[in-house]
Amino acid sequence: MKLTRILLAAAVAAATLPAVAQVSVNINVPGLIQVAPPAPRYEPAPRPRGGQVWVPGHWQWNDRAYAWRPGYYVAARPDYAYAPGGWVRADGGWRWREGDWRRSDRHHHDRGDRYDHDDDHRGGGHCPPGQAKKGRC
């Protein structure tokens, strides 16, 4: 009987001690690279080609390391200017932001619709605060 009381007291005492646990969570976020990209390589832009836009070379992540992708031409789009992609810091790592096409200022001034974006590929017709003054909307 006495031994039972001692064991019960020991069990109660052990239950009141704070439990120490370590939890390690490694979440693999698609598109998020933990290793910073190397500095861009110097790549001289070739001569302009009619109806084409030069996309500068950049580092690409291939699941193990960065590999250089040389620049290349793409077909130009009337009334649009190409904005090259780039690596941006995000969520504690690096993420590649693809290049995209943006309405050219000439097009907006000619039609007088600088703030009308019904046909903008980002949709919604919304311009975030401060972006219109920077010419991004």
Side-chain angles (χ1 to χ4, degrees):
M1 182 99 161
K2 193 170 189 169
L3 182 59
T4 307
R5 285 186 184 174
I6 292 172
L7 289 175
L8 183 60
V12 171
T16 60
L17 292 175
V20 177
Q22 282 186 321
V23 177
S24 177
V25 178
N26 185 9
I27 299 173
N28 184 12
V29 179
L32 189 66
I33 311 302
Q34 297 300 318
V35 180
R41 288 184 178 175
Y42 172 73
E43 186 178 59
R47 289 183 166 156
R49 290 185 186 171
Q52 303 248 322
V53 173
W54 177 252
V55 176
H58 61 273
W59 291 105
Q60 286 184 321
W61 181 255
N62 67 7
D63 293 327
R64 292 182 314 278
Y66 286 98
W68 182 255
R69 178 175 185 191
Y72 55 95
Y73 282 103
V74 294
R77 293 178 59 188
D79 299 323
Y80 284 84
Y82 183 76
W87 287 98
V88 293
R89 283 182 106 15
D91 304 322
W94 293 86
R95 187 178 304 276
W96 174 254
R97 178 190 41 80
E98 287 292 336
D100 64 353
W101 293 93
R102 298 183 180 156
R103 303 288 283 179
S104 68
D105 285 341
R106 178 183 54 81
H107 176 76
H108 289 295
H109 290 300
D110 290 348
R111 287 181 36 199
D113 62 351
R114 183 165 177 82
Y115 301 105
D116 181 11
H117 295 284
D118 292 341
D119 56 348
D120 192 324
H121 70 279
R122 284 174 240 129
H126 173 72
C127 186
Q131 298 303 307
K133 289 182 180 178
K134 295 177 184 175
R136 295 183 182 153
C137 297

